[in-house]
Amino acid sequence: MTFDRSRLLDHIEQMEDAAQQATDFVMGLDKSKFLTDTKSQMAVSMALVILAEAVTRILKIHPHIAEDHPEIPWMKIKSMRNLMAHDYFELEFEVVWKTVNEDLPQLLSQLRALRQIRAQGE
């Protein structure tokens, strides 16, 4: 396995881990509880920043991956990181809730498939 492929797989795994952590942080919470729970909001936000930072690193070492795998919203994830890191006080936690509950389960499935494809040498 080449060094670049190994790094790519590491970053994909980091994305998976962060997405799973964000999902785990809201387990057992309903939307109203999440919207009033600052600790959960901050934990989920940090997990999403880590997820998006891994995307930034992937795009840096594999700039064509977004074209090769358009099913993953690479640029939306990267943009979300910029919003969370630089405009945190403008963050809408209802959107974060929706992201974690509706978008991350699908993303996790896509990342697992991508990791398998890339591990096989695509």
Side-chain angles (χ1 to χ4, degrees):
M1 184 181 315
T2 66
F3 177 70
D4 275 352
R5 187 168 14 147
S6 176
R7 283 189 4 190
L8 174 61
L9 292 171
D10 287 345
H11 293 315
I12 292 170
E13 186 174 345
Q14 290 167 356
M15 288 178 68
E16 280 184 81
D17 290 347
Q20 187 62 59
Q21 288 170 344
T23 309
D24 291 348
F25 289 144
V26 300
M27 195 174 296
L29 297 179
D30 62 18
K31 183 178 175 182
S32 62
K33 177 66 177 164
F34 175 73
L35 294 176
T36 60
D37 185 357
T38 304
K39 189 185 298 185
S40 293
Q41 291 172 355
M42 293 187 87
V44 168
S45 296
M46 189 62 195
L48 294 176
V49 168
I50 292 167
L51 165 67
E53 186 61 30
V55 166
T56 300
R57 291 172 187 225
I58 288 172
L59 292 173
K60 186 175 182 178
I61 61 173
H62 291 279
H64 299 292
I65 198 164
E67 295 169 15
D68 296 342
H69 298 281
E71 70 279 8
I72 296 176
W74 303 99
M75 298 313 292
K76 285 177 93 173
I77 296 169
K78 186 176 176 183
S79 296
M80 177 187 61
R81 179 237 176 262
N82 292 337
L83 173 67
M84 295 185 116
H86 301 293
D87 292 321
Y88 185 80
F89 296 107
E90 302 299 319
L91 197 56
E92 296 179 31
F93 284 104
E94 289 197 16
V95 174
V96 172
W97 175 260
K98 181 180 178 290
T99 298
V100 171
N101 285 283
E102 296 178 19
D103 300 330
L104 289 188
Q106 180 179 359
L107 178 64
L108 280 164
S109 176
Q110 293 166 331
L111 290 171
R112 288 179 187 120
L114 176 61
R115 189 163 39 90
Q116 287 182 340
I117 289 168
R118 289 295 177 153
Q120 294 170 2
E122 179 198 80

